[in-house]
Amino acid sequence: MSEKARFWLGIDCGGTYLKAGLYDAQGREHGINRQSLQTLSPLPGYAERDMDQLWQQCAATIAGLLQRTGIHGEQIKGVGISAQGKGLFLLDKQDRPLGHAMLSSDRRALAIVQRWQQDGIPEKLYPVTRQTLWTGHPASLLRWVKENEPQRYAQIGCVMMGHDYLRWCLTGVKGCEESNISESNLYNMTSGQYDPRLTQWLGIGEIDSALPPVVGSAEKGGEITPQAAAITGLAAGTPVVGGLFDVVSTALCAGIEDEFTLNAVMGTWAVTSGITHGLRDHEAHPYVYGRYVNDGQYIVHEASPTSSGNLEWFTAQWGELSFDEINQAVASLPKAGSGLFFLPFLYGSNAGLEMTCGFYGMQALHTRAHLLQAIYEGVVFSHMTHLNRMRERFTPRAGPARHRRPGAL
């Protein structure tokens, strides 16, 4: 391969894997490398990630990709990162990771969100943020830290999310990318800026000074530092753009261009999304809006962590299986014939914040194949909840909405 060939590096930090891929100017893929990511659950409802380990895995994944493909760092002309949204990645006042990151599937703030619901806070926030209140929002987790770990709260120097943290590791420049921070309950969807009223309503006004500048998705967010270059193989000075919330990146890659097409993703989260040119009031459901990559456009979606994370957990406990093996096991059984049901609420629910995961109807005759089939069915029917709501929002009067092929986060 010519050393003059140019490539772009894409990094995706999802709920279960971190991936790095190389692409040429025509969008052709020239290599992929990935590592599984560990979710730490030291207590019920906790979903954490070791921030130092995450950066080490990211650097190793990039270095391994360059080594495998034989592509030199000097050939990489730009870097972009997509990542799981929401959650909370904190730096202290000395720019060191402040404890473990909390992921979007973390549920420790459940009691706080329930209290806010009783106090009418969601109704106050929604017209400004266009967000529902979720336990894994940065705002919810910040309030939990304030109430339960006040010393840690006092040390907060910077509030970020997943790809913001990795971009900082690569560049040393702090920032919150717009498509992700717009869904944090810290951002005014109309003005396109942080809104101090929001942190005051949520009781976390002290962190206003710890919110870094908002960075556009395609805006240059910094350059690869010499330190990052030394461990990744990238060239110092390579530009790194703001990046994307992974739900936005899947919609972009699916080619959604109108208000009649939906994108279905069954990854760690079950997500159905569409694109709109404006904000609507008085809708049937409190749809979640976010900034899209094009000016004047918004992404609208329904989502919950009720998808493949359940399958990943199950196979980790009872034997690693390939997807081919899982599919063969499920296909060997009559469809919907076992009477065994699975609620895919291991990391959260779309049927009530307090609901948890479980199998129902298990008998001695059931095998691992039956359990896998029940997980498949539970995930699909959970996703249908979001799909049906989005069809109400996007289906034109002339006919049904069109659906892109499901992707994976």
Side-chain angles (χ1 to χ4, degrees), residues 205-224:
E206 304 86 358
I207 59 91
D208 285 346
S209 61
L211 298 174
V214 176
V215 181
S217 299
E219 181 182 349
K220 181 179 174 181
E223 298 178 347
I224 299 295

Side-chain angles (χ1 to χ4, degrees), residues 55-114:
W55 164 233
Q56 292 166 9
Q57 287 187 271
C58 180
T61 302
I62 296 169
L65 176 63
L66 296 180
Q67 184 177 16
R68 179 188 301 175
T69 59
I71 292 173
H72 301 292
E74 292 75 12
Q75 295 176 263
I76 309 299
K77 300 306 174 184
V79 180
I81 310 171
S82 70
Q84 188 181 45
K86 305 177 176 63
L88 185 63
F89 287 68
L90 296 173
L91 299 181
D92 66 16
K93 297 182 187 301
Q94 287 74 45
D95 290 344
R96 297 172 302 199
L98 186 58
H100 286 161
M102 303 176 213
L103 303 181
S104 58
S105 50
D106 195 288
R107 304 178 69 185
R108 73 185 72 189
L110 175 60
I112 292 171
V113 173
Q114 290 175 327

Side-chain angles (χ1 to χ4, degrees), residues 343-358:
L343 296 178
F345 303 153
L346 192 65
Y347 298 107
S349 165
N350 56 10
L353 288 174
E354 72 286 349
M355 294 190 69
T356 54
C357 176

